[in-house]
Amino acid sequence: MELLEVRQVSKAFPGVYALKKVDFVLKAGEVHALVGENGAGKSTLIKILSGVHRADTGAVFLEGKPIEFNNPSAARALGIGTIFQDFELANNLTVAENISLGRLPRRRGAVDWNAVRARAKEVLGALQVPLDPMAMAGGLGVGEQQIVEIARVMSQEVKVLIMDEPTSSLTSEEVDRLFEIMRKLTDREVGIIYISHRLEEVFRVSDRISVLRDGQMIGTYVTREVEPAAIISAMLGGRKHAAQHKERQISGDVVLNVENLSGPLLREPISFQLHRGEILGLAGLLGSGRSEILGTLFGMGGPTTGTVQVEGTDVNLSSPQQAVAAGMALVPEDRHREGIFPNLSVRENMVIPNLIRLTRGGLISPSREKRFVHENIAAFSVKTAGPETPITNLSGGNQQKVVFAKWCGTRPRILLLDEPTRGVDVGAKAELYAIVNRLVEKGLSVILASSELKELLDVCDRILVVRNGQIITEVPRDHFDYTNITAMMMGAK
Amino acid sequence: MQTQEWNLSKRLLRCTFVLLDGYSVVIGLVLVSGAMSFLSPVFLTSPNLLSVIRQVSVIGLLAIGETFVVLTGEIDLSVGSLVALSGVVAAMAQKAGLGLVPSIVLPLAVGGLTGAIIGVIVAKGKVPSFVVTLGVMGVARGIALVLTNGFPISGFGENYKWIGGGEVFSIPVPMILLLILTVVAAVVLQQTPFGRNLYALGGSRKAAFYSGINVDRELVKVFVLSGTFAALGGIVLTARLDAAETVAGLGYELSAIAAVVIGGASLSGGVGSVYGTLLGTLFIGVIANGLTLLAVSSYWQQVVQGAIIVLAVLLDQLRKRIPRGVSRT
């Protein structure tokens, strides 16, 4: 008898991808990775398993018994726990209280705080993590918050644990710790469904791998019997592989000259130069200050001091408006909260920074707006049912393309990209970098911050290594070396 | 079997909501008007309908301004008190013999300035608009009391009274004002960068900031608009009554917010339209008129209006639970 079995499950949404007769089996004590491009149906499948969505047809069996639920608490009651990618803790409460949230133990009607603390200690102890149950959740790092979320799910009887992109904001040490915890859980016969875009991690941690593509189950593979290349080709189904670096000649023109720039976001004054047509990488660990450098260049922190010149002219970057006027564009790190407007359509999202340009006599010209949107949907190959589709109906990669498109309409000279491919699948990643390459060929210059060094090495012409808020060194393309740069990022060199 | 039936009825409910989405005000208006025309022979007569419109036009003007505020996810509770204050200012200008233009411009300036102060405190001081405008609600009516010692002012020039009581081709002037300004506001919201920015920052203020929208400036503008529309409401009301009273506009903020919400706007921002608001205003007017015609006490009318707001917001919440995709709000 299998722990969890999905039989012929289908699900359709208006205007979006669906699941088509998907079969899936999870055994007790295994880590089963679920991979596929964005929009392949991974999220839909786990949302069905966790009770967020309901399948249109087909059935789900837990330990041989058919189960049916339509809310997450019912799924949890049956022993299916989910750690969503965008989980949120109550920041103003303690770790212990977060772990017991929603089912605080009571004694004579009042909350039994001793029991709350004891439960937290017990479950954190079982996971062998040194976290203070009385610490405020808001004061923890993302990795620690994730552990609290795992503890929260684990503090109830869990047979099936679903983890959606659990490592996307973790440092490599935190990833190691997470994998250890997962191993402990599988020793206790918990079945884990592990969703990730990071193939390297998938191969490290999983026992089996299932590949979804366009809502269909392509196949299930035993991890140690399969090559990563085979998984990628199953995921992509003949689509082309990730972007590789294009050899090109960088001109000597300095587009951006930063000297002793300091501002509220920066720990140390920074200086560097960016050349025309160059892709400059900012490599650094989470919290190293790479995002803050981009934020400061986009005027997010308020007044700055020091010198910034764009194409030789002094500019002031004390507000986003000034930064835009100076020719900057920023694709922010947190797409959901900073990149898109969830209440608006693809069209409305795309035109926001371009509205002034689309007006005639003070009013937005509908025909110009329409033309702009159609051109950019095509130019950025955004997969959408139409311009009026709500942006939230699009997959992550396609939402990100809209964010790119909205900025490229403003004809920026410098494009600031903060983790542009976070939570985006291999195929969309390649497309996004193809777009970046195309823009660079047109003379745009790019500063790219990423936690995935591999990506920086693939794409950049030059890399600045950031540590503790400082630019500690500059690495030209012919000195690119994964181990070497990682060592510098981590302070080992 | 049972679950299947349950599914079916749920699906039907879902379909109904999707169909209703965006049209619920229209349907509500038609239903209530239909019922009223059966219940009262007077309802469908043109004098009665014109009086409905006269009565709601002040609320309607406030509601236009309120729509801008609600779209950004904020709220303005000061508009009712501003009706009183601006009315008093207009009346004093009339009594001082300043003529028609100052009697309009001065109160508008007072309303706009008050809005600017609110906006700056909300945007720069990061104080919730609920609190700021609640405070200003007390301050504005207080100033009106101070200025008049609580006595009404009356006896205005004919040209001033025309704003509230006049007609053009037998259409009341306040109604013409309301219609024109509704159309103008709709164009501003749909066809200007300012209007689009409001929808954007109502949806995600963070993303708006990251998109280079000057969020603070847009917020100040929105409150200036709301204050100015409230002042216009005050001018129209005093002109119609030929009197400025410190109790004028009492509770109008509730009606204005109700009109906006019934008109389909979301109090969390980013969703709504001024045409919806106009229909919401008419809906409130028809309900009030109906209750009056049916000889229901005016005390009960307040109860009904309060309940309608809660219902409208509840309906909005239920609507949000349906997966999006088919319809647009």
Side-chain angles (χ1 to χ4, degrees), chain B:
Chain B
M1 268 317 276
Q2 256 183 345
T3 57
Q4 252 178 3
E5 269 169 32
W6 168 235
N7 271 346
L8 187 68
S9 62
K10 230 170 125 182
R11 201 164 285 184
L12 270 176
L13 196 71
R14 211 164 256 200
C15 286
T16 326
F17 268 127
V18 171
L19 275 177
L20 282 179
D21 203 6
Y23 300 100
S24 39
V25 212
V26 183
I27 294 167
L29 199 55
V30 169
L31 285 181
V32 173
S33 306
M36 276 314 301
S37 53
F38 274 105
L39 291 173
S40 163
V42 189
F43 180 76
L44 269 187
T45 59
S46 68
N48 182 58
L49 290 181
L50 282 179
S51 98
V52 169
I53 285 163
R54 251 183 228 281
Q55 307 216 307
V56 297
S57 53
V58 173
I59 303 279
L61 290 170
L62 306 197
I64 295 176
E66 193 77 56
T67 305
F68 283 82
V69 177
V70 168
L71 272 178
T72 66
E74 302 289 344
I75 200 156
D76 189 349
L77 300 174
S78 71
V79 291
S81 295
L82 276 178
V83 165
L85 177 59
S86 58
V88 165
V89 171
M92 291 173 78
Q94 279 288 299
K95 289 316 232 185
L98 290 181
L100 182 63
V101 174
S103 317
I104 295 171
V105 173
L106 282 175
L108 288 182
V110 167
L113 190 67
T114 313
I117 294 169
I118 295 172
V120 169
I121 297 175
V122 169
K124 295 289 180 193
K126 310 280 175 215
V127 184
S129 55
F130 178 81
V131 177
V132 181
T133 58
L134 189 64
V136 172
M137 181 177 168
V139 171
R141 199 172 294 279
I143 293 176
L145 281 162
V146 170
L147 289 175
T148 61
N149 270 322
F151 294 111
I153 306 173
S154 62
F156 307 142
E158 284 309 314
N159 53 6
Y160 182 79
K161 283 195 282 185
W162 179 82
I163 302 171
E167 287 177 356
V168 178
F169 301 117
S170 67
I171 305 169
V173 173
M175 182 182 169
I176 297 171
L177 265 177
L178 179 62
L179 290 180
I180 291 177
L181 289 174
T182 297
V183 173
V184 171
V187 170
V188 168
L189 281 178
Q190 278 312 314
Q191 302 298 138
T192 68
F194 166 65
R196 295 289 191 85
N197 286 350
L198 298 189
Y199 281 93
L201 70 91
S204 169
R205 207 163 281 189
K206 230 175 173 181
F209 190 52
Y210 275 87
S211 298
I213 294 175
N214 194 332
V215 174
D216 291 354
R217 197 185 61 197
E218 305 297 47
L219 280 179
V220 173
K221 280 194 208 163
V222 154
F223 281 102
V224 168
L225 272 177
S226 181
T228 310
F229 271 101
L232 188 59
I235 294 168
V236 170
L237 186 65
T238 40
R240 191 179 81 214
L241 301 176
D242 189 14
E245 289 180 87
T246 52
V247 291
L250 204 60
Y252 277 23
E253 61 282 336
L254 190 67
S255 309
I257 294 166
V260 174
V261 172
I262 293 168
S266 158
L267 281 177
S268 44
V271 178
S273 81
V274 2
Y275 293 123
T277 297
L278 180 64
L279 292 171
T281 305
L282 290 177
F283 185 80
I284 285 179
V286 168
I287 295 265
N289 176 257
L291 293 174
T292 310
L293 290 182
L294 297 177
V296 176
S297 128
S298 65
Y299 302 146
W300 275 108
Q301 297 190 13
Q302 284 220 16
V303 175
V304 170
Q305 205 174 77
I308 288 175
I309 294 192
V310 177
L311 269 176
V313 177
L314 185 68
L315 198 74
D316 177 52
Q317 288 297 328
L318 291 175
R319 223 186 295 159
K320 272 191 211 149
R321 290 192 201 158
I322 304 159
R324 302 182 61 181
V326 185
S327 57
R328 280 281 293 138
T329 36

Side-chain angles (χ1 to χ4, degrees), chain A residues 337 341 343 348 364 369 406, chain B residues 191 196 200 203-204 211 270 328:
Chain A
R337 275 180 238 164
F341 298 101
N343 58 324
E348 289 161 318
I364 297 162
E369 182 179 4
K406 91 178 187 191
Chain B
Q191 302 298 138
R196 295 289 191 85
S204 169
S211 298
R328 280 281 293 138

Side-chain angles (χ1 to χ4, degrees), chain A residues 138-159:
Chain A
L140 302 178
V142 190
E144 292 169 317
Q145 292 200 352
Q146 183 127 34
I147 289 166
V148 175
E149 177 71 5
I150 294 173
R152 190 158 89 99
V153 174
M154 293 314 304
S155 67
Q156 302 157 76
E157 204 48 43
V158 169
K159 295 170 189 159

Side-chain angles (χ1 to χ4, degrees), chain A residues 259-274:
Chain A
E259 268 171 55
N260 282 317
L261 177 67
S262 50
L265 298 176
L266 298 174
R267 275 171 274 176
E268 305 277 343
I270 51 164
S271 306
F272 68 91
Q273 293 186 328
L274 175 70

